[in-house]
Amino acid sequence: REAPVLLLVTSVPGAGPLLDGLGLLLRSPERGRVFQLSPFNAGEVADYLHSRLGMPVEGESLDRIVATSGGYPVLLSSLVDQLRMGDPATTMTAALRRMASHTVGSEVLGEHVAAVLTGARPSERAALVALAQASELSLGQLGEVLRLRDLPDLRLDLLLAGGLVDRNGSRLRMRHRLVQRDLLDQVPWAEARAGHAALAQILSGLQALEHRVAVADATTAPAVLATVRGLLDEAHAQGDLSHAFRVAELGVALDPQLLAEAVLATLRAGRPARILDLEDHLHNLPASAARTAAIAILELERAGVQPAAHRLLRLDANLVPVSPDLLIHALAVLQVATEAAVQNESHLIPPFAPLIEVLRVRATETDDEALAEELGLIAVSLEMLHLANDPALSAAERLTAVADLSTRATAQGIARLGGPLARVMTALTDYLAGNLAAARSSMAGP
């Protein structure tokens, strides 16, 4: 109500209850309006082509273009670029007929990329590869790439003429991720490797590391892996979980064991959906509690809370080694239990109760204070969820149980984190019981 917000959501057809609920939330008059975006219809395709080509396109030609492109702007834009690059002797009608003659769903964009690569000079081709491998490069950086590859200077007009590259001042980038994907799919590995090697020298930080990993071989991989592990330790020391995830994700190509570190980082950060980015690597992770937990989170994101909970319940936490497997397992359980509470599937929470005692025991056995605190906090969090969702407890019993839990958290040395959590739970319990003054008092602390 106080700030204008535009929310852009993309989805597949039948996206499920999340999108439906979001639509209902946004549809009420006091909250705003919902605009359903869809591909261009025939009239909009005609208007778009007229504005880009300066001449009307109609009749059979228009029908065939609509059928070929599906009305998607990215394909229509590619079509326009191809027409502009065509042989001057080719008539517009012939060009449209040739482009529209492909079957529905054909790789129009891929064909355009192939045509540009085929006609590009070595310098422009190397620049296209570098831009596909990097998110964005300046003209100076592209010049360095060409210098390192012993290629002549770039003719910017020829690079832009292909329609694959956008320019923003002195910086250049690919027009769309689809262009990047199609271009790299069509480039031989030797050429792609040369691009990665050049970018590794001119970029810095994680950008350079990404390209160093891409070109690592038997002789260079140990040094690159050592750099990855050093950056990972540094990220953990600074508490930068997003950075830790990115570093571990890059290192997975060199050491599959780093996948467990990436999973741990994303669960610690409370962003389990990022595990979807690791799905292609999960088959390289040996059978373990970490792998089971990661697969459970994938199921949580795709199939719902019940399959995820059932998968995690197959593991006996007493048999799981402490770090990082037990941490990953416990954090996955906490995520699934929280989701079960949110989705009114609270009957799935009590079966995880044995894990609480396992975490307490392991916390007392370890000499690592930070690990002990984290294990203890997860145990407190799981017990909080159990207390909050136990229908057999009255409000008074729940308050007493939360107070006892807070006392135990202090005794375990995790009051710094467990204390605020207990106060919040106390406030919520008071609020649900109608004790508003007590709820306000409890919430004043955290």
Side-chain angles (χ1 to χ4, degrees):
R1 293 176 180 173
E2 297 176 359
V5 174
L6 170 66
L7 180 64
L8 180 63
V9 180
T10 62
S11 73
V12 296
L18 175 62
L19 192 63
D20 293 339
L22 185 62
L24 288 173
L25 178 67
L26 297 176
R27 224 170 244 116
S28 56
E30 69 272 19
R31 288 191 172 94
R33 291 173 292 169
V34 174
F35 298 90
Q36 290 282 86
L37 301 181
S38 59
F40 289 171
N41 59 34
E44 291 165 336
V45 169
D47 291 341
Y48 174 80
L49 293 175
H50 194 180
S51 67
R52 292 291 305 275
L53 297 173
M55 63 176 293
V57 180
E58 52 195 11
E60 181 185 358
S61 295
L62 177 61
D63 293 339
R64 297 174 76 178
I65 291 174
V66 172
T68 300
S69 68
Y72 287 101
V74 65
L75 294 180
L76 292 170
S77 177
S78 173
L79 174 60
V80 169
D81 292 334
Q82 291 178 72
L83 293 173
R84 285 177 167 175
M85 291 176 59
D87 185 350
T90 302
T91 65
M92 183 64 67
T93 301
L96 289 172
R97 184 177 295 113
R98 182 173 65 250
M99 291 306 305
S101 65
H102 300 289
T103 58
V104 176
S106 66
E107 294 291 339
V108 178
L109 186 59
E111 292 173 3
H112 177 41
V113 171
V116 173
L117 283 174
T118 301
R121 298 193 316 171
S123 293
E124 281 75 48
R125 186 179 172 100
L128 288 170
V129 171
L131 287 169
Q133 293 171 332
S135 57
E136 187 178 73
L137 294 171
S138 68
L139 291 173
Q141 287 173 324
L142 273 180
E144 282 293 298
V145 168
L146 298 179
R147 183 185 63 79
L148 290 169
R149 295 190 57 180
D150 296 323
L151 292 170
D153 290 340
L154 176 72
R155 277 195 58 182
L156 187 58
D157 58 330
L158 294 179
L159 181 66
L160 297 175
L164 303 181
V165 177
D166 272 339
R167 180 179 182 180
N168 181 16
S170 63
R171 303 195 69 80
L172 299 169
R173 62 182 177 184
M174 285 291 177
R175 292 183 56 197
H176 197 279
R177 288 185 179 180
L178 292 176
V179 175
Q180 291 178 275
R181 182 203 64 191
D182 284 345
L183 192 147
L184 292 177
D185 284 346
Q186 298 182 39
V187 171
W189 169 238
E191 189 175 359
R193 192 180 191 284
H196 283 303
L199 290 170
Q201 295 186 57
I202 70 167
L203 298 176
S204 59
L206 287 185
Q207 288 183 318
L209 181 62
E210 178 179 0
H211 299 290
R212 287 183 64 196
V213 169
V215 298
D217 54 25
T219 58
T220 60
V224 178
L225 189 56
T227 300
V228 168
R229 294 192 180 281
L231 290 172
L232 192 58
D233 292 341
E234 183 181 332
H236 282 307
Q238 296 176 354
D240 191 341
L241 294 172
S242 293
H243 192 69
F245 173 83
R246 183 69 179 121
V247 171
E249 183 185 26
L250 289 176
V252 165
L254 301 177
D255 182 2
Q257 293 298 325
L258 286 174
L259 186 59
E261 292 286 348
V263 172
L264 179 58
T266 189
L267 288 176
R268 274 176 165 162
R271 301 179 65 185
R274 295 196 71 177
I275 290 180
L276 293 171
D277 297 336
L278 305 172
E279 184 174 8
D280 291 341
H281 301 289
L282 278 179
H283 66 279
N284 291 325
L285 193 64
S288 62
R291 185 176 187 272
T292 299
I295 294 174
I297 294 299
L298 286 175
E299 290 180 326
L300 176 65
E301 294 297 319
R302 289 182 169 156
V305 66
Q306 288 200 34
H310 292 157
R311 180 174 293 276
L312 289 172
L313 285 169
R314 296 174 193 166
L315 286 177
D316 183 354
N318 287 291
L319 304 178
V320 178
V322 172
S323 185
D325 285 48
L326 183 61
L327 268 178
I328 292 174
H329 173 66
L331 286 166
V333 169
L334 181 58
Q335 185 69 40
V336 170
T338 302
E339 194 64 28
V342 170
Q343 295 186 15
N344 293 322
E345 300 275 3
S346 54
H347 64 281
L348 297 171
I349 299 176
F352 289 116
L355 176 61
I356 298 172
E357 185 59 31
V358 172
L359 295 176
R360 285 184 187 146
V361 172
R362 297 293 183 87
T364 60
E365 292 175 347
T366 181
D367 295 328
D368 187 331
E369 292 184 5
L371 178 61
E373 183 177 61
E374 188 168 12
L375 292 173
L377 180 62
I378 296 171
V380 168
S381 302
L382 285 172
E383 191 163 357
M384 288 286 185
L385 281 170
H386 182 77
L387 292 175
N389 291 276
D390 187 349
L393 294 177
S394 66
E397 290 170 330
R398 190 173 285 115
L399 282 170
T400 300
V402 170
D404 291 343
L405 184 56
S406 180
T407 301
R408 291 206 306 272
T410 301
Q412 293 172 10
I414 60 170
R416 179 177 66 85
L417 298 174
L421 183 63
R423 289 198 296 273
V424 170
M425 184 58 70
T426 301
L428 289 173
T429 306
D430 275 323
Y431 171 75
L432 293 173
N435 305 323
L436 301 187
R440 290 193 186 95
S441 176
S442 295
M443 282 300 291

